[in-house]
């Protein structure tokens, strides 16, 4: 069986939902994972912020505007009178629930409940859209099988057991629709797989059912060699290995949620990126095969904090790094980049929830400097650190304002730390030097 995930733009209008219908309408059995319609999750996050800040009038206003847009979607998407009544009633129930949440004291649980409504809406409406001329469609509630454990990891045994049972219960269906992004936690409370998490839902499902392939259908023709939001003339890459894709997704390529390849890598289930707006384009195929040499792609991750820890006693002392890392472990904060010298260690984190406490603890053993608004720019390609052309990178870097560099931590990745204000220029310069005027994937 295939798993196909369609993102926000793919289900963001009646026109695009019609495209999705045409893509999945081939009579083959498949699981279809849907995101919220584009803009909805952002609107829900804003509503949640208003409620959190006690700006209830603003929250209610935003809820009304969103409700109106869904009423319009129902009218233009569905024509069967019975299904229109059913869809309108569902939409009204969701928005009554949102209004009720705006009158309850705010907690993380309120946030999780509010942001979950987008996927519930899109899947309900899309299933009714298909019901109009397609009988073999089943809507599987993700909250009946998708669960994360206390470490926010998918509870694979639970998911496998429940999802396969649910698929068997409606064995005569050929299109199983479910919500991306949302899940339950160990206490059966509503939770989610973090922003962009529908990609992750798709590969978790792919692993749970032993899918032939997981397809991520989005609004671009595959994984590009640089971030198209900041750089012109980027190109789609036809093949990536799981390792390359994992590094790029982790280091900021928005087209894939950072965890996407994790569930399927070990099982060797291919992941294919496809463009809903141009289904005939090849897209990108991610497998365990290695294709090409040199730098394949560049990505950037924002929101990075750099911490420099200096200690005269680090000189020839052992155990210093252990002490430093233990502090990060205590505060469950993972480290992305690390560089060391005789008297200092610099490292980066992307989660600054416990920054203050970490700095306090570090100050007991060393002098500490913190810089925020940093970005990691990451160059990825199979074995790039051994490639004959890679040393040229150091000439290029003379022209780029680099604060820290990690080379050799993984054979496939060279990471540069830059000020976020220099990120776009860095990406553009690297694009020019690495990919342009060259038909190879390496330096010209
Ligand atoms: P979806 O809603 O389908 O999940 P996303 O907006 O999450 O779509 O991801 C697709 C977007 O990711 C693209 O439109 C593009 O702007 C952005 N993007 C960032 N980096 C890359 C990259 N390396 N390759 C392709 N797209 C990228
Ligand atoms: N709707 C969620 C978000 O916008 C999940 C997703 O689109 O993958 O983050
Ligand atoms: Mg996405």
């Amino acid at each position: 069986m295939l798993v196909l995930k369609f993102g926000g733009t793919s289900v963001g209008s009646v026109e695009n939902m019609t495209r999705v219908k045409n893509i999945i309408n081939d009579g083959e059995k498949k699981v279809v994972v849907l995101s919220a319609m584009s803009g909805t999750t952002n609107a829900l996050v804003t509503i949640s912020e208003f409620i959190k800040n006690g700006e209830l009038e603003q929250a209610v206003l935003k809820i009304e505007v969103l409700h109106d847009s869904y009423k319009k979607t129902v009218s233009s998407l569905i024509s069967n009178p019975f299904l229109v009544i059913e869809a309108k009633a569902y939409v009204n129930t969701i928005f009554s629930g949102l209004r009720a949440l705006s009158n309850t004291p705010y907690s993380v649980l309120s946030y999780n409940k509010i942001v979950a409504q987008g996927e519930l809406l899109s899947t309900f409406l899309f299933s009714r859209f298909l019901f109009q001329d397609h009988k073999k469609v089943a809507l599987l509630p993700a909250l009946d099988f998708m669960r994360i454990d206390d470490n926010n990891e998918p509870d694979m045994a639970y998911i496998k057991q429940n999802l396969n049972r649910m698929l068997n219960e409606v064995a005569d269906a050929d299109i199983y629709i479910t919500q991306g992004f949302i899940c339950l936690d160990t206490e059966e409370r509503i939770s989610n797989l973090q922003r962009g998490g529908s990609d992750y839902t798709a590969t978790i499902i792919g692993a749970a059912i032993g899918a032939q392939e997981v397809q991520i259908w989005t609004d671009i023709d595959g994984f590009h060699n640089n971030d198209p939001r900041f750089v012109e003339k980027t190109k789609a890459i036809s093949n990536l290995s799981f390792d390359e894709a994992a590094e790029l997704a982790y280091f900021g390529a928005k087209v894939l949620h950072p965890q996407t390849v994790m569930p399927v890598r070990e099982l060797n289930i291919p992941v294919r990126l496809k463009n809903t707006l141009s289904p005939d384009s090849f897209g990108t195929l991610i497998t365990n095969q290695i294709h090409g040499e040199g730098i394949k792609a560049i990505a950037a991750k924002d929101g990075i904090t750099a911490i420099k820890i200096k200690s005269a006693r680090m000189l020839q002392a052992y155990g210093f790094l252990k002490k430093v890392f233990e502090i990060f472990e205590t505060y469950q904060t993972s480290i992305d980049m690390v560089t060391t010298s005789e008297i200092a260690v610099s490292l980066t984190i992307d989660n600054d929830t416990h920054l203050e406490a970490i700095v306090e603890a570090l100050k007991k053993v060393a002098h500490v400097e913190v810089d925020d608004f940093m970005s990691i720019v990451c160059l990825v390609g199979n074995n790039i650190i051994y490639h004959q052309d890679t040393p040229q990178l150091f000439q290029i870097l003379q022209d780029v304002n680099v604060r820290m560099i990690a080379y050799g931590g993984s054979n496939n990745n060279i990471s540069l730390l830059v000020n976020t204000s220099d990120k776009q220029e860095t990406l553009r310069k690297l694009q020019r030097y690495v990919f342009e005027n060259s038909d190879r994937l390496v330096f010209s």
Side-chain angles (χ1 to χ4, degrees):
M1 193 148 49
L2 293 182
V3 179
L4 285 79
K5 174 259 170 175
F6 293 90
T9 310
S10 305
V11 292
S13 63
V14 174
E15 192 190 349
N16 288 353
M17 284 204 200
T18 309
R19 292 177 198 269
V20 173
K21 182 170 105 172
N22 294 335
I23 291 166
I24 62 178
N25 219 353
D26 58 5
E28 295 286 321
K29 251 180 157 28
K30 54 179 71 71
V31 178
V32 174
V33 176
L34 301 185
S35 294
M37 294 178 76
S38 54
T40 298
T41 311
N42 285 346
L44 293 168
V45 170
T46 307
I47 290 167
S48 170
E49 286 293 309
F50 282 141
I51 298 173
K52 184 178 171 187
N53 299 332
E55 297 168 89
L56 298 187
E57 259 177 49
Q58 300 273 53
V60 170
L61 199 66
K62 188 96 186 162
I63 293 171
E64 295 317 322
V65 171
L66 197 61
H67 193 171
D68 281 345
S69 79
Y70 273 90
K71 285 182 191 160
K72 286 188 190 124
T73 302
V74 171
S75 309
S76 45
L77 188 69
I78 302 167
S79 51
N80 173 310
F82 170 75
L83 293 173
V84 169
I85 293 171
E86 201 193 12
K88 277 188 177 159
Y90 186 82
V91 168
N92 288 340
T93 309
I94 294 275
F95 282 92
S96 304
L98 281 173
R99 275 180 216 106
L101 278 169
S102 70
N103 286 319
T104 15
Y106 183 85
S107 69
V108 177
L109 188 57
S110 335
Y111 170 86
N112 287 347
K113 280 186 186 161
I114 293 168
V115 297
Q117 304 308 312
E119 273 69 15
L120 293 171
L121 282 163
S122 64
T123 49
F124 192 90
L125 297 183
F126 187 70
S127 67
R128 270 49 193 179
F129 176 51
L130 292 191
F131 281 177
Q132 296 193 122
D133 50 15
H134 202 304
K135 298 280 173 291
K136 292 180 156 189
V137 176
L139 181 57
L140 305 182
L143 299 181
D144 290 353
F145 66 87
M146 191 59 77
R147 193 168 83 173
I148 49 172
D149 64 20
D150 290 333
N151 298 318
N152 290 331
E153 296 289 338
D155 181 346
M156 283 312 291
Y158 176 93
I159 296 166
K160 217 169 168 173
Q161 187 187 2
N162 286 288
L163 176 57
N164 285 302
R165 174 184 50 74
M166 287 163 68
L167 289 169
N168 285 331
E169 280 166 6
V170 268
D172 58 341
D174 59 31
I175 297 177
Y176 299 95
I177 298 173
T178 192
Q179 298 85 21
F181 179 58
I182 61 174
C183 60
L184 291 184
D185 66 14
T186 41
E187 301 192 13
E188 312 267 297
R189 291 173 305 203
I190 197 157
S191 186
N192 61 66
L193 303 173
Q194 310 296 324
R195 294 303 306 270
S198 300
D199 303 330
Y200 195 22
T201 301
T203 51
I204 294 170
I205 290 178
I209 65 170
Q212 243 171 291
E213 182 173 291
V214 175
Q215 298 182 351
I216 309 284
W217 288 78
T218 181
D219 57 4
I220 189 163
D221 58 344
F223 213 118
H224 277 220
N225 59 4
N226 206 328
D227 193 324
R229 293 169 300 171
F230 301 107
V231 178
E232 287 160 10
K233 298 192 206 154
T234 60
K235 286 195 184 128
I237 306 165
S238 49
N239 291 275
L240 281 173
S241 69
F242 286 126
D243 289 347
E244 291 167 333
E247 298 258 20
L248 287 164
Y250 183 76
F251 284 105
K254 184 186 179 239
V255 67
L256 282 186
H257 178 278
Q259 314 283 353
T260 307
V261 297
M262 301 306 169
V264 290
R265 185 196 328 223
E266 288 301 308
L267 299 168
N268 199 13
I269 298 172
V271 177
R272 196 184 286 275
L273 268 71
K274 293 284 289 176
N275 188 353
T276 306
L277 311 175
S278 167
D280 294 333
S281 304
F282 180 81
T284 300
L285 181 60
I286 304 169
T287 63
N288 63 0
Q289 302 290 311
I290 291 157
H291 291 258
E293 292 199 318
I295 297 172
K296 278 251 187 81
I298 301 166
K301 179 169 163 180
D302 295 337
I304 303 294
T305 302
I307 306 172
K308 186 182 269 181
I309 305 149
K310 262 192 198 164
S311 166
R313 274 169 292 156
M314 189 175 158
L315 195 68
Q316 292 184 344
Y318 49 85
F320 180 74
L321 284 179
K322 179 167 180 268
K323 266 190 222 149
V324 167
F325 289 139
E326 270 169 1
I327 291 170
F328 287 86
E329 194 188 338
T330 305
Y331 291 100
Q332 296 186 327
T333 300
S334 66
I335 296 167
D336 282 332
M337 284 175 77
V338 191
T339 56
T340 63
S341 76
E342 268 304 279
I343 57 153
V345 50
S346 283
L347 44 82
T348 70
I349 58 173
D350 69 355
N351 174 359
D352 61 5
T353 317
H354 302 294
L355 181 62
E356 229 174 277
I358 290 171
V359 170
E360 275 315 302
L362 288 170
K363 277 185 174 164
K364 294 194 178 122
V365 290
H367 174 77
V368 183
E369 281 170 37
V370 176
D371 285 315
D372 47 15
F373 300 109
M374 309 295 286
S375 297
I376 294 178
V377 170
C378 158
L379 301 112
V380 170
N382 176 57
N383 265 335
I384 52 171
I385 65 155
Y386 298 120
H387 195 276
Q388 60 189 17
D389 293 340
T390 297
Q392 291 179 42
L393 186 64
F394 291 95
Q395 278 162 318
I396 294 168
L397 293 183
Q398 289 172 1
D399 201 16
V400 174
N401 196 3
V402 178
R403 156 77 199 274
M404 202 170 137
I405 187 165
Y407 179 94
S410 131
N411 293 351
N412 302 333
N413 173 333
I414 299 168
S415 295
L416 315 173
L417 186 71
V418 301
N419 288 319
T420 300
S421 54
D422 291 332
K423 177 187 78 172
Q424 178 151 358
E425 207 198 332
T426 307
L427 289 175
R428 287 183 171 171
K429 277 185 180 160
L430 289 169
Q431 180 76 8
R432 269 206 308 279
Y433 288 130
V434 176
F435 299 121
E436 283 177 14
N437 310 320
S438 163
D439 52 9
R440 295 182 301 154
L441 286 170
V442 293
F443 304 110
S444 51

